[in-house]
Amino acid sequence: MVNVCDIQVMKPLLARHGFHFSKAKGQNFLIAPWVPQSIAEEAGVDETAGVLEIGPGVGPLTQQLCLRAKKVCAVELDERLRPILDVTVGEFDNLEILWNDVLKLDIPALVVEKFAGLRPMACANLPYYITSPILTALLEAECFDSVTVMVQKEVAQRMAAQPGTADYGAFTVFCQYYAQPELLFDVPAHCFLPQPKVTSAVICLRVRKERPWDILDEKTFFRVVRASFAMRRKKLSNGLASGFPELGKAGAAEVIAAAGLAENVRGETLGIPEFAKLANEIVKRREM
Ligand code: SAM
């Protein structure tokens, strides 16, 4: 197997194919072999798994996934990588590469088509410029057992944050609504070529099979979450009144009281059960 993390191997390989890194495509390739090994290992990839990889690059993580999974589908936007991937991962017959923009794919349909009978997982060293839309698509697809990704460390901390902390926000609630996050390990900038300006971290999102909250309307729930964080430093009643103009200030205060919360509560201190109660009170008022 070609050691793509060996810079002495990778640089001449890239040069032979006239490849130049594209900043716009988020191309920071791994050159520390322990990183792709640990991602595949700690994600729990095994012969029961069908793995969707986003952005194989020159294939360091792809190799490790192919060594462990029953099937790997890797989606890569940059067709200039085709001849390089032929060399680095061409030997794996459990790999299919899709030359496409991952954001244009129907992910649930792809999972049904490619991973029938397997445990679907997503694994990636993500292109950081589209971290949020990709994570949103992977979680909303509601078809993966787990999503294990390398992202900027701050983003990983936001996903795993607890209520009342500076990192906690609407994106945290979104991620924790769909999954239980577990921070796995940090990856310093020197593990990449070219080096990014930030530290990275690997996080595993174990997708919830069941959500332990009674939420009457998902749309209203997420509207409440967005409204609660839109005015972080203000009382929740201000955020709710502005996010739900139909309530007005008095209505917002009534909803907060009916949900059993203090009048001066701040949105950033609430957990998912409290957001669910608020959303359900708003839905009930609509039905009155
Ligand atoms: N997996 C490789 C590694 O760890 O060395 C490369 C990771 S690099 C951070 C991100 C990869 O995602 C690049 O290969 C880039 O071309 C690819 N990419 C960027 N935007 C993409 C998109 N919209 N759809 C699919 N792949 C994309």
Side-chain angles (χ1 to χ4, degrees):
M1 198 167 75
V2 181
N3 183 357
V4 283
C5 285
D6 182 341
I7 207 161
Q8 309 300 335
V9 173
M10 207 226 277
K11 276 196 166 168
L13 183 65
L14 296 179
R16 204 158 60 241
H17 295 282
F19 182 86
H20 297 284
F21 294 100
S22 160
K23 215 174 168 181
K25 292 192 179 75
Q27 290 176 340
N28 300 93
F29 293 169
L30 281 167
I31 51 164
W34 68 268
V35 181
Q37 277 169 22
S38 305
I39 296 175
E41 203 61 52
E42 297 205 28
V45 177
D46 61 22
E47 66 287 350
T48 66
V51 186
L52 175 69
E53 186 194 6
I54 294 140
V58 298
L61 179 58
T62 322
Q63 289 179 335
Q64 296 302 320
L65 297 173
C66 287
L67 288 171
R68 293 167 174 82
K70 182 80 175 172
K71 175 148 194 203
V72 177
C73 265
V75 184
E76 176 55 64
L77 179 66
D78 190 346
E79 293 233 24
R80 297 174 308 152
L81 290 162
R82 196 189 281 268
I84 300 169
L85 282 169
D86 278 347
V87 175
T88 60
V89 292
E91 72 203 72
F92 293 106
D93 54 16
N94 59 344
L95 171 67
E96 187 175 342
I97 301 179
L98 307 174
W99 298 96
N100 212 327
D101 178 342
V102 68
L103 296 177
K104 294 198 175 134
L105 293 178
D106 179 342
I107 291 176
L110 183 108
V111 166
V112 169
E113 185 194 331
K114 307 290 182 191
F115 299 142
L118 299 175
R119 184 167 60 97
M121 308 174 80
C123 253
N125 168 14
L126 288 181
Y128 292 173
Y129 74 106
I130 42 171
T131 299
S132 299
I134 293 180
L135 280 171
T136 302
L138 293 176
L139 290 174
E140 284 183 345
E142 296 193 67
C143 55
F144 295 104
D145 201 54
S146 65
V147 173
T148 305
V149 285
M150 174 136 62
V151 294
Q152 286 186 41
K153 186 175 178 180
E154 295 86 273
V155 177
Q157 285 169 330
R158 286 215 294 277
M159 289 193 260
Q162 293 300 311
T165 62
D167 290 328
Y168 188 65
F171 187 57
T172 314
V173 177
F174 172 81
C175 293
Q176 296 187 11
Y177 174 80
Y178 285 102
Q180 292 176 295
E182 185 191 348
L183 289 168
L184 295 180
F185 52 88
D186 289 353
V187 181
H190 65 75
C191 293
F192 301 85
L193 185 76
Q195 288 192 21
K197 291 200 174 69
V198 294
T199 298
S200 301
V202 177
I203 185 165
C204 176
L205 299 160
R206 294 187 201 289
V207 176
R208 294 181 191 276
K209 304 247 178 302
E210 276 169 28
R211 302 192 189 107
W213 317 285
D214 181 22
I215 292 175
L216 297 174
D217 177 50
E218 213 172 73
K219 269 194 181 147
T220 306
F221 170 80
F222 282 115
R223 238 178 107 191
V224 165
V225 173
R226 282 193 300 276
S228 304
F229 288 103
M231 300 179 164
R232 271 190 95 96
R233 304 274 155 243
K234 298 211 170 150
K235 287 198 307 185
L236 176 63
S237 51
N238 291 315
L240 273 191
S242 124
F244 292 84
E246 66 273 27
L247 288 177
K249 275 218 154 187
E254 283 167 23
V255 164
I256 291 168
L261 300 170
E263 174 267 328
N264 61 351
V265 72
R266 294 226 310 255
E268 62 189 356
T269 64
L270 303 180
I272 293 179
E274 288 80 30
F275 288 122
K277 278 187 201 151
L278 289 164
N280 289 350
E281 288 305 326
I282 293 173
V283 171
K284 281 188 220 155
R285 280 172 76 93
R286 278 189 207 131
E287 288 165 355
M288 272 178 353

